[in-house]
């Protein structure tokens, strides 16, 4: 075939200016595979179409295609996005953003060696769980605490340690699913414990738990319903009744608190969230919660409570499998210090929850003015997300975007394909950018993107 004769030698393509940026690693296997792929595709194309194309032109064309493919292959899959959805602890967007200061601390620690499992005073082997424990004890006023990979791991570990081969008593109304395949009955089954459900879907009394206690009972479980609420004819024992029953019958009590609210956020519209401190003060034996929901820290599962029980958990070989790395501990310690100083605004998720409506109104108004006719400042409701109360709305402000000739779905898509991607919200067939979840430092980028959309192209 005549057309195929125009295909340049591989070396000519590799020397093309289009590939200058990639030259240092063009001989790596992943790059040669891409080059081979593009040559194969070109050969197929030419043998079909067969039209004559000059060799020089073909060289440039192939080099450009290789450059495109290489650039794609070298773009990390995990990217920064602008969260304009108004959902503060958005599970799909990485939940809690981490404090700037924590990242500096992380850089120092992680780029060198650290005393992760080394006792500097004694000059001997130490334990990785001592680092966060001291701070957790001070913050939560508990006897002991440990940290694992996430709250699902924490629940699994507690159930397996305390109830493997025995029974766990839990209310039918608390057999919840959080999403991302976390379901209480399933995790319970995996722990080796047998679930003994009591009460009815909407009403469970303390007598129901009490009547179910027998020789094989190992644990009384209570679960925060998180992102779901029952209203109307409902009943649930108080924390005090639950703790008293455990004490009277000598069965340990455990509460999966989910979101892990440590600081009262009632003023910000989250009065409904149970506080970790309330459960511990009530005398519950163990609690667990997520590090990256309302706590505002890194992904982690925190288990706090009575020392003899935590010591048993520490000895469980599963603890070794579920432990956290130095990066998590470093960030967690930073967040714990912020709590101890009472500096809640140093924790970005909390700063966002606490940002005042007046402040957001000013930001939205200014943003709309700068963006031009396509944007209108409007009052909104943000949601905390991350397994907190579904009806907890926080009064917020943002902008509504509307561009003549472009549908709301089109705009949503164009924003998502911009750089960095912007995750917007569609509400009542309007495209909304909620500024509560947009960092001030991101506003400039957002403004550039919105102006670009308005002027027709990015
Ligand atoms: C979110 C949640 C979990 C799972 O926590 P992860 O940290 O996401 O593993 C478990 N239990 C409850 C009640 C929750 O709300």
């Amino acid at each position: 075939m005549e057309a195929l004769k125009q295909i340049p030698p591989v070396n000519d393509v590799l020397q093309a200016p289009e590939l200058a940026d990639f030259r240092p690693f063009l001989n790596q296997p992943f790059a040669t595979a891409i080059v081979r792929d593009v040559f194969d595709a070109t050969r197929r194309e030419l043998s079909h179409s067969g039209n004559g194309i000059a060799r020089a032109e073909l060289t440039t064309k192939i080099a450009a295609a290789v450059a495109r493919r290489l650039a794609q292959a070298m773009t990390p899959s995990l990217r920064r996005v602008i969260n304009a959805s108004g959902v503060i602890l958005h599970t799909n967007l990485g939940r809690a953003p981490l404090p700037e200061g924590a990242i500096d601390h992380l850089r120092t620690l992680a780029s060198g060696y650290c005393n992760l499992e080394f006792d500097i005073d004694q000059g001997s082997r130490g334990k990785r769980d001592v680092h966060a424990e001291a701070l957790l004890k001070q913050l939560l006023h508990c006897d002991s605490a440990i940290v694992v990979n996430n709250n699902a791991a924490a629940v699994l570990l507690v159930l397996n340690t305390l109830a493997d081969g025995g029974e766990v008593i839990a209310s039918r109304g608390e057999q919840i699913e959080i999403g991302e395949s976390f379901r209480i009955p399933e995790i319970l089954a995996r722990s080796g414990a047998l679930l003994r459900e009591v009460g009815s879907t909407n009403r469970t009394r303390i007598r129901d738990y009490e009547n179910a206690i027998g020789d094989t009972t190992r644990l009384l479980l209570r679960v925060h319903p998180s992102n779901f609420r029952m209203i109307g004819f409902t009943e649930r024992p108080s924390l005090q009744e639950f703790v008293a029953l455990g004490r009277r019958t000598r069965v340990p009590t455990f509460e999966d608190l989910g979101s892990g609210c440590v600081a009262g956020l009632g003023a910000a519209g989250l009065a409904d969230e149970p506080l970790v401190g309330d459960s511990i003060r009530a005398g519950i034996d163990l609690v667990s919660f997520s590090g990256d929901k309302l706590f505002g820290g890194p992904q982690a599962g925190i288990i706090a409570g009575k020392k003899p029980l935590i010591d048993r958990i520490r000895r469980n070989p599963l603890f070794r499998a579920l432990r956290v790395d130095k990066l998590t501990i470093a960030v967690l310690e930073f967040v714990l210090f912020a709590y101890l100083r009472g500096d809640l605004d140093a924790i970005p998720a909390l700063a966002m929850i606490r940002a005042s409506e007046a402040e957001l109104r000013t930001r939205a108004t200014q943003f709309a003015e700068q963006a031009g006719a396509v944007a209108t400042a409007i009052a909104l409701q943000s949601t905390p997300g991350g397994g907190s109360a579904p009806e907890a709305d926080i009064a917020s402000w943002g902008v509504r975007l509307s561009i003549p000739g472009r549908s709301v779905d089109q705009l949503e898509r164009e924003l998502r394909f911009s750089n960095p991607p912007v995750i917007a919200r569609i509400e009542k067939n309007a495209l909304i950018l909620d500024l509560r979840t947009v960092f001030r430092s991101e506003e400039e980028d957002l403004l550039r993107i919105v102006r670009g959309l308005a002027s027709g192209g990015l």
Side-chain angles (χ1 to χ4, degrees), residues 144-400:
S144 189
I146 51 171
V147 183
V148 290
N149 187 43
N150 54 26
N151 191 32
V155 174
L156 176 69
L157 188 57
V158 170
L159 295 174
N160 177 263
T161 308
L162 301 184
D164 189 9
E167 268 185 11
V168 174
I169 302 178
S171 162
R172 285 207 166 79
E174 296 174 6
Q175 300 305 306
I176 54 159
E177 169 173 335
I178 303 295
E180 306 162 275
S181 57
F182 179 87
R183 289 174 152 184
I184 289 291
E186 288 174 3
I187 211 104
L188 225 144
R190 285 290 167 168
S191 76
L194 207 65
L195 170 63
R196 178 77 185 267
E197 283 181 82
V198 297
S200 62
T201 303
N202 53 327
R203 304 194 77 172
T204 303
R205 299 175 189 83
I206 197 68
R207 286 286 299 276
D208 296 321
Y209 290 89
E210 188 160 10
N211 291 339
I213 295 178
D215 291 344
T216 53
T217 308
R218 296 283 176 272
L219 189 70
L220 300 177
L221 169 67
R222 186 177 165 91
V223 183
H224 175 35
S226 302
N227 49 4
F228 132 95
R229 285 291 177 278
M230 276 193 302
I231 54 164
F233 191 56
T234 63
E235 189 172 338
R236 186 187 193 215
S238 72
L239 201 50
Q240 285 68 24
E241 285 176 304
F242 187 76
V243 169
L245 176 64
R247 292 226 171 113
R248 206 163 59 244
T249 56
R250 297 176 178 281
V251 178
T253 49
F254 166 48
E255 184 173 25
D256 171 8
L257 278 163
S259 57
C261 192
V262 170
L265 296 170
L270 296 185
D272 209 22
E273 279 303 319
L275 292 171
V276 178
D278 286 349
S279 294
I280 288 175
R281 210 169 311 115
I284 198 127
D285 292 311
L286 289 176
V287 296
S288 78
F289 57 92
S290 295
D292 55 353
K293 292 187 180 170
L294 280 179
F295 191 73
Q299 178 189 304
I302 294 161
I303 307 172
K306 303 280 160 67
K307 185 161 163 41
L309 298 180
I310 299 268
D311 285 345
R312 277 175 65 190
I313 292 171
R314 229 183 225 119
R315 290 194 297 269
N316 186 336
L318 262 186
F319 174 52
R320 171 64 179 77
L322 302 171
R323 74 182 187 187
V324 288
D325 72 344
K326 58 188 174 185
L327 308 183
T328 303
I329 296 173
V331 177
L332 188 61
E333 277 200 316
F334 187 94
V335 171
L336 285 165
F337 276 123
Y339 274 115
L340 289 175
R341 292 195 314 269
D343 186 5
L344 299 186
D345 287 334
I347 302 168
L350 296 188
M352 282 177 179
I353 290 173
R354 289 152 49 86
S356 76
E357 195 188 343
E359 175 194 334
L360 285 159
R361 182 188 187 145
T362 308
R363 282 177 60 192
T365 313
Q366 281 172 358
F367 188 92
E369 271 168 20
Q370 291 174 309
V374 295
T376 319
I378 54 163
L380 299 168
Q381 300 289 325
S382 315
T383 46
S388 38
E391 76 274 31
D393 284 336
I394 311 173
S396 185
W397 276 77
V399 295
R400 189 182 59 227

Side-chain angles (χ1 to χ4, degrees), residues 83 85 87-96 178-180 227 292-293 384-388:
N83 175 11
S85 72
V87 182
I88 297 159
L89 299 157
H90 200 307
T91 294
N92 302 148
L93 303 182
R95 289 200 186 151
I178 303 295
E180 306 162 275
N227 49 4
D292 55 353
K293 292 187 180 170
S388 38

